[in-house]
Amino acid sequence: MSSAAAKKPRPKYLSLSALLFEIRLPAPAWVSGLHRISGALLFFPFAAWLLYLLDTSLASEEGFARVHDQYLRSPFVKLGLLIFIWAYAHHFCAGIRFLLLDLNKGIDLPRARTTSYAVFAVSLLFTIFFGWRLW
Amino acid sequence: MKRVVVGAHYGLGSWLAQRITAVIMALYSVILLVVFMSGRPITYGAWHDLFARGWMRVGALLFGVSLTWHAWVGVRDILMDYAKHDGLRLALQVITILVLAMYLGWTVQILWR
């Protein structure tokens, strides 16, 4: 890159509202962005929350009963669990797609788009299935 | 001695580690899913016995170590992209390391109590 090109300020038109309502991002971009968002959510708060649940449920019989019979019956907790399941499923599916891309599998545009829709479909079906099991 | 802190190969180790730890966690996730979907009713006894088994504990610990490493690379990538101020980025990275260390310590405590 020449230094003149590097110094020239590039026009920027990026804002959250532009990304959501004006620019139509391609499906692979949504997979990538949601992979990042789901990863951040899994790091915090979901990892801490699940460790708390595991800790309480393994500590004693009363703790297990509290988690299993009371806590997990709350609709808000179920909703939180469902968001966790979606985040995990999306991160998992998108991650496998990225691993395949690293191996040069499916890097042509039509297949990159198809696998992006597959990631959305599989992770949403997984979430719906567990939502049905939870309720 | 000339030190190179940036360049074409910077981060290759992290990149590879993130992928290897991802595969480890993916395999353990599938095993866990099969165990959970086996259809047995979940009671305290069954739950406690499951996490008393050696392979389950070692697997969970391996998962925890993989998660720590994987999340460190991922969160650091996010911070490098969005936290432009050096001091703020350093502070957030230190907090990330402390949180991850806490998670790992907590995991060990839960598994071998």
Side-chain angles (χ1 to χ4, degrees), chain A residues 84-133:
Chain A
F84 161 74
I85 289 165
W86 171 80
Y88 202 100
H90 181 87
H91 206 79
F92 187 100
C93 296
I96 286 172
R97 180 174 172 272
F98 290 144
L99 287 176
L100 292 173
L101 290 176
D102 285 341
L103 299 171
N104 286 340
K105 305 260 185 246
I107 48 171
D108 56 301
L109 188 55
R111 276 203 290 164
R113 285 201 173 133
T114 309
T115 53
S116 297
Y117 288 118
V119 167
F120 292 133
V122 172
S123 52
L124 284 175
L125 283 174
F126 210 77
T127 311
I128 291 167
F129 174 73
F130 275 94
W132 168 64
R133 295 271 308 212

Coordinates of all heavy atoms in Angstrom, one line a residue, chain A residues 84-133:
Chain A
F84 N -29.4 -18.9 26.6 CA -28.1 -19.6 26.7 C -28.1 -20.7 25.7 O -27.0 -20.8 25.0 CB -27.9 -20.2 28.1 CG -26.9 -21.3 28.2 CD1 -25.6 -20.9 28.1 CD2 -27.3 -22.6 28.2 CE1 -24.6 -21.9 28.0 CE2 -26.3 -23.6 28.2 CZ -25.0 -23.2 28.1
I85 N -29.1 -21.5 25.6 CA -29.1 -22.6 24.6 C -28.9 -22.1 23.2 O -28.2 -22.6 22.4 CB -30.4 -23.4 24.8 CG1 -30.4 -24.2 26.1 CG2 -30.5 -24.4 23.6 CD1 -31.7 -24.8 26.5
W86 N -29.6 -21.0 22.9 CA -29.5 -20.4 21.5 C -28.0 -20.0 21.3 O -27.4 -20.3 20.3 CB -30.4 -19.2 21.3 CG -30.0 -18.6 20.0 CD1 -30.3 -19.0 18.7 CD2 -29.1 -17.5 19.8 NE1 -29.7 -18.2 17.8 CE2 -28.9 -17.2 18.5 CE3 -28.4 -16.6 20.8 CZ2 -28.1 -16.2 18.0 CZ3 -27.6 -15.6 20.3 CH2 -27.4 -15.4 18.9
A87 N -27.5 -19.2 22.3 CA -26.1 -18.7 22.2 C -25.1 -19.9 22.0 O -24.2 -19.8 21.2 CB -25.7 -17.9 23.4
Y88 N -25.3 -21.0 22.8 CA -24.4 -22.1 22.7 C -24.5 -22.8 21.4 O -23.5 -23.1 20.7 CB -24.7 -23.1 23.9 CG -23.5 -24.0 24.2 CD1 -22.7 -23.8 25.3 CD2 -23.2 -25.1 23.4 CE1 -21.6 -24.6 25.5 CE2 -22.1 -25.9 23.6 CZ -21.3 -25.6 24.7 OH -20.2 -26.4 25.0
A89 N -25.8 -23.0 20.9 CA -26.0 -23.7 19.7 C -25.5 -22.9 18.5 O -24.8 -23.4 17.6 CB -27.5 -24.0 19.5
H90 N -25.7 -21.5 18.5 CA -25.2 -20.7 17.4 C -23.7 -20.7 17.4 O -23.0 -20.8 16.4 CB -25.7 -19.3 17.5 CG -25.3 -18.4 16.4 ND1 -25.9 -18.3 15.2 CD2 -24.1 -17.7 16.3 CE1 -25.2 -17.6 14.4 NE2 -24.1 -17.1 15.0
H91 N -23.1 -20.5 18.6 CA -21.6 -20.5 18.7 C -21.0 -21.8 18.2 O -20.0 -21.8 17.5 CB -21.2 -20.2 20.2 CG -19.9 -19.5 20.2 ND1 -19.7 -18.1 20.0 CD2 -18.7 -20.0 20.5 CE1 -18.4 -17.8 20.2 NE2 -17.8 -18.9 20.5
F92 N -21.7 -22.9 18.6 CA -21.2 -24.2 18.2 C -21.3 -24.4 16.7 O -20.3 -24.8 16.1 CB -22.1 -25.3 18.9 CG -21.7 -26.7 18.8 CD1 -21.0 -27.3 19.8 CD2 -22.0 -27.4 17.6 CE1 -20.6 -28.7 19.7 CE2 -21.7 -28.7 17.5 CZ -21.0 -29.4 18.5
C93 N -22.5 -24.1 16.1 CA -22.7 -24.4 14.7 C -21.8 -23.4 13.8 O -21.1 -23.8 12.9 CB -24.1 -24.2 14.3 SG -25.2 -25.4 15.0
A94 N -21.8 -22.1 14.2 CA -21.0 -21.2 13.5 C -19.5 -21.5 13.6 O -18.7 -21.4 12.7 CB -21.2 -19.7 14.0
G95 N -19.1 -22.0 14.8 CA -17.7 -22.4 15.0 C -17.3 -23.5 14.1 O -16.2 -23.5 13.6
I96 N -18.2 -24.5 14.0 CA -17.8 -25.7 13.1 C -17.7 -25.1 11.7 O -16.8 -25.6 10.9 CB -18.9 -26.8 13.2 CG1 -18.7 -27.5 14.6 CG2 -18.9 -27.7 12.1 CD1 -19.8 -28.4 14.9
R97 N -18.6 -24.2 11.3 CA -18.5 -23.6 9.9 C -17.2 -22.9 9.8 O -16.5 -23.1 8.7 CB -19.7 -22.6 9.7 CG -19.7 -22.0 8.4 CD -20.9 -21.1 8.2 NE -20.8 -20.4 7.0 CZ -20.3 -19.2 6.9 NH1 -19.8 -18.6 8.0 NH2 -20.2 -18.5 5.7
F98 N -16.7 -22.2 10.8 CA -15.4 -21.5 10.7 C -14.3 -22.5 10.6 O -13.3 -22.2 9.8 CB -15.2 -20.5 11.9 CG -16.1 -19.4 11.8 CD1 -16.7 -18.8 13.0 CD2 -16.5 -18.7 10.7 CE1 -17.5 -17.7 13.0 CE2 -17.4 -17.6 10.6 CZ -17.8 -17.1 11.8
L99 N -14.4 -23.6 11.3 CA -13.3 -24.6 11.2 C -13.3 -25.2 9.8 O -12.2 -25.4 9.3 CB -13.6 -25.7 12.2 CG -13.4 -25.4 13.7 CD1 -13.8 -26.6 14.6 CD2 -11.9 -25.1 14.0
L100 N -14.4 -25.4 9.2 CA -14.5 -25.9 7.8 C -13.9 -24.8 6.9 O -13.2 -25.2 5.9 CB -15.9 -26.3 7.4 CG -16.4 -27.5 8.2 CD1 -17.9 -27.8 7.9 CD2 -15.6 -28.8 7.9
L101 N -14.3 -23.6 7.1 CA -13.7 -22.5 6.2 C -12.2 -22.5 6.3 O -11.5 -22.2 5.3 CB -14.3 -21.1 6.6 CG -15.8 -20.9 6.3 CD1 -16.2 -19.5 6.9 CD2 -16.1 -21.0 4.8
D102 N -11.7 -22.7 7.5 CA -10.2 -22.7 7.7 C -9.6 -23.8 6.9 O -8.4 -23.7 6.5 CB -9.9 -22.9 9.2 CG -10.1 -21.6 10.0 OD1 -10.2 -20.6 9.4 OD2 -10.2 -21.8 11.2
L103 N -10.3 -24.9 6.7 CA -9.8 -26.0 5.9 C -10.2 -25.8 4.4 O -10.1 -26.8 3.6 CB -10.4 -27.3 6.4 CG -10.0 -27.7 7.8 CD1 -10.8 -28.9 8.3 CD2 -8.6 -27.9 8.0
N104 N -10.6 -24.6 4.0 CA -11.0 -24.3 2.7 C -12.2 -25.0 2.2 O -12.4 -25.3 1.0 CB -9.8 -24.5 1.7 CG -8.7 -23.4 1.8 OD1 -9.0 -22.4 2.3 ND2 -7.5 -23.7 1.4
K105 N -13.1 -25.4 3.1 CA -14.3 -26.1 2.7 C -15.4 -25.1 2.6 O -15.7 -24.4 3.6 CB -14.7 -27.2 3.7 CG -13.6 -28.2 3.9 CD -13.8 -29.5 3.1 CE -12.8 -30.5 3.5 NZ -11.9 -30.8 2.4
G106 N -16.1 -25.0 1.5 CA -17.3 -24.1 1.4 C -16.9 -22.7 1.3 O -17.7 -21.8 1.9
I107 N -15.8 -22.3 0.7 CA -15.5 -20.8 0.7 C -16.0 -20.1 -0.5 O -16.0 -18.9 -0.5 CB -14.0 -20.6 0.8 CG1 -13.2 -21.5 -0.2 CG2 -13.4 -20.8 2.2 CD1 -11.7 -21.1 -0.3
D108 N -16.6 -20.8 -1.5 CA -17.2 -20.1 -2.6 C -18.5 -19.5 -2.1 O -19.2 -20.0 -1.2 CB -17.4 -21.0 -3.8 CG -18.2 -22.3 -3.5 OD1 -17.8 -23.0 -2.6 OD2 -19.3 -22.5 -4.0
L109 N -18.9 -18.4 -2.8 CA -20.0 -17.6 -2.3 C -21.3 -18.3 -2.1 O -22.0 -18.3 -1.0 CB -20.2 -16.3 -3.1 CG -21.2 -15.3 -2.6 CD1 -20.9 -14.9 -1.2 CD2 -21.3 -14.1 -3.5
P110 N -21.8 -19.1 -3.1 CA -23.1 -19.8 -2.9 C -23.1 -20.7 -1.7 O -24.0 -20.7 -0.9 CB -23.3 -20.6 -4.2 CG -22.4 -19.9 -5.2 CD -21.2 -19.4 -4.5
R111 N -22.0 -21.5 -1.6 CA -22.0 -22.5 -0.5 C -21.8 -21.7 0.9 O -22.3 -22.2 1.9 CB -20.9 -23.5 -0.7 CG -21.4 -24.6 -1.6 CD -20.6 -25.9 -1.4 NE -19.2 -25.7 -1.9 CZ -18.2 -26.5 -1.6 NH1 -18.4 -27.5 -0.8 NH2 -17.0 -26.3 -2.2
A112 N -21.0 -20.6 0.9 CA -20.8 -19.8 2.1 C -22.2 -19.3 2.6 O -22.5 -19.3 3.8 CB -19.9 -18.7 1.9
R113 N -23.1 -18.9 1.6 CA -24.4 -18.5 2.0 C -25.3 -19.6 2.5 O -26.0 -19.5 3.5 CB -25.1 -17.8 0.8 CG -24.5 -16.4 0.5 CD -25.4 -15.6 -0.3 NE -24.8 -14.2 -0.3 CZ -24.7 -13.5 -1.4 NH1 -25.1 -13.9 -2.6 NH2 -24.1 -12.3 -1.3
T114 N -25.2 -20.7 1.8 CA -26.0 -21.9 2.2 C -25.7 -22.4 3.6 O -26.6 -22.6 4.4 CB -25.8 -23.1 1.2 OG1 -25.9 -22.6 -0.1 CG2 -26.8 -24.2 1.4
T115 N -24.3 -22.5 3.9 CA -24.0 -22.9 5.2 C -24.3 -21.9 6.3 O -24.6 -22.3 7.4 CB -22.4 -23.2 5.3 OG1 -21.7 -22.1 4.8 CG2 -22.1 -24.4 4.4
S116 N -24.4 -20.6 5.9 CA -24.8 -19.6 6.9 C -26.3 -19.8 7.2 O -26.6 -19.8 8.4 CB -24.7 -18.2 6.3 OG -23.3 -17.9 6.0
Y117 N -27.1 -20.0 6.2 CA -28.5 -20.3 6.5 C -28.7 -21.6 7.3 O -29.5 -21.7 8.2 CB -29.3 -20.3 5.2 CG -29.5 -18.9 4.6 CD1 -29.0 -18.6 3.4 CD2 -30.2 -17.9 5.4 CE1 -29.2 -17.4 2.8 CE2 -30.3 -16.7 4.9 CZ -29.8 -16.4 3.6 OH -30.0 -15.1 3.1
A118 N -27.8 -22.6 7.0 CA -27.8 -23.8 7.8 C -27.5 -23.6 9.2 O -28.2 -24.2 10.1 CB -26.9 -24.8 7.2
V119 N -26.5 -22.7 9.5 CA -26.2 -22.4 10.9 C -27.4 -21.8 11.6 O -27.8 -22.2 12.7 CB -25.0 -21.4 11.0 CG1 -24.8 -20.8 12.4 CG2 -23.7 -22.1 10.5
F120 N -28.1 -20.8 11.0 CA -29.3 -20.2 11.6 C -30.3 -21.3 11.9 O -30.9 -21.4 12.9 CB -29.9 -19.1 10.7 CG -29.0 -17.9 10.6 CD1 -28.7 -17.3 9.4 CD2 -28.4 -17.4 11.7 CE1 -27.9 -16.2 9.3 CE2 -27.6 -16.2 11.7 CZ -27.4 -15.7 10.4
A121 N -30.6 -22.1 10.8 CA -31.7 -23.1 10.9 C -31.4 -24.1 12.0 O -32.3 -24.4 12.9 CB -31.8 -23.8 9.6
V122 N -30.2 -24.7 12.0 CA -29.9 -25.7 13.0 C -29.9 -25.2 14.4 O -30.5 -25.8 15.3 CB -28.5 -26.4 12.7 CG1 -28.1 -27.3 13.9 CG2 -28.5 -27.1 11.4
S123 N -29.3 -24.0 14.7 CA -29.3 -23.5 16.0 C -30.7 -23.1 16.5 O -31.0 -23.2 17.7 CB -28.3 -22.3 16.2 OG -28.5 -21.3 15.2
L124 N -31.5 -22.5 15.6 CA -32.9 -22.2 16.0 C -33.7 -23.4 16.2 O -34.5 -23.5 17.2 CB -33.5 -21.3 14.9 CG -33.0 -19.8 14.9 CD1 -33.7 -19.1 13.8 CD2 -33.3 -19.2 16.2
L125 N -33.6 -24.5 15.4 CA -34.3 -25.7 15.6 C -33.9 -26.3 17.0 O -34.8 -26.8 17.7 CB -34.0 -26.7 14.5 CG -34.8 -26.5 13.2 CD1 -34.3 -27.4 12.1 CD2 -36.3 -26.6 13.4
F126 N -32.6 -26.3 17.3 CA -32.1 -26.8 18.5 C -32.8 -26.0 19.7 O -33.2 -26.6 20.7 CB -30.6 -26.6 18.5 CG -29.9 -27.6 19.3 CD1 -29.7 -28.9 18.8 CD2 -29.4 -27.3 20.6 CE1 -29.0 -29.8 19.6 CE2 -28.7 -28.2 21.3 CZ -28.5 -29.5 20.8
T127 N -32.8 -24.7 19.6 CA -33.4 -23.9 20.6 C -34.9 -24.2 20.8 O -35.4 -24.3 21.9 CB -33.2 -22.4 20.3 OG1 -31.9 -22.2 19.9 CG2 -33.6 -21.5 21.4
I128 N -35.6 -24.3 19.7 CA -37.0 -24.6 19.7 C -37.2 -26.0 20.4 O -38.1 -26.1 21.3 CB -37.6 -24.6 18.3 CG1 -37.7 -23.2 17.8 CG2 -39.1 -25.2 18.3 CD1 -38.0 -23.0 16.3
F129 N -36.4 -27.0 20.0 CA -36.5 -28.3 20.6 C -36.4 -28.2 22.1 O -37.2 -28.8 22.9 CB -35.5 -29.2 20.0 CG -35.5 -30.6 20.6 CD1 -36.5 -31.5 20.4 CD2 -34.4 -31.0 21.5 CE1 -36.5 -32.8 21.0 CE2 -34.4 -32.2 22.1 CZ -35.4 -33.1 21.8
F130 N -35.3 -27.5 22.6 CA -35.1 -27.5 24.0 C -36.1 -26.6 24.7 O -36.5 -26.8 25.9 CB -33.7 -27.0 24.3 CG -32.8 -28.2 24.3 CD1 -32.0 -28.5 23.2 CD2 -32.6 -29.0 25.4 CE1 -31.2 -29.6 23.2 CE2 -31.8 -30.1 25.4 CZ -31.1 -30.4 24.3
G131 N -36.7 -25.6 24.0 CA -37.7 -24.8 24.5 C -39.0 -25.6 24.8 O -39.6 -25.6 25.8
W132 N -39.2 -26.5 23.8 CA -40.4 -27.4 24.0 C -40.2 -28.4 25.1 O -41.1 -28.7 25.9 CB -40.5 -28.2 22.6 CG -41.5 -29.3 22.7 CD1 -42.8 -29.3 22.9 CD2 -41.1 -30.7 22.5 NE1 -43.3 -30.6 22.9 CE2 -42.3 -31.5 22.7 CE3 -40.0 -31.4 22.2 CZ2 -42.4 -32.9 22.6 CZ3 -40.0 -32.8 22.1 CH2 -41.2 -33.5 22.3
R133 N -38.9 -28.9 25.3 CA -38.6 -29.8 26.4 C -38.7 -29.1 27.8 O -39.0 -29.7 28.8 CB -37.2 -30.4 26.3 CG -37.0 -31.3 25.0 CD -37.4 -32.7 25.3 NE -36.7 -33.2 26.5 CZ -36.3 -34.5 26.6 NH1 -36.5 -35.3 25.6 NH2 -35.7 -34.9 27.7

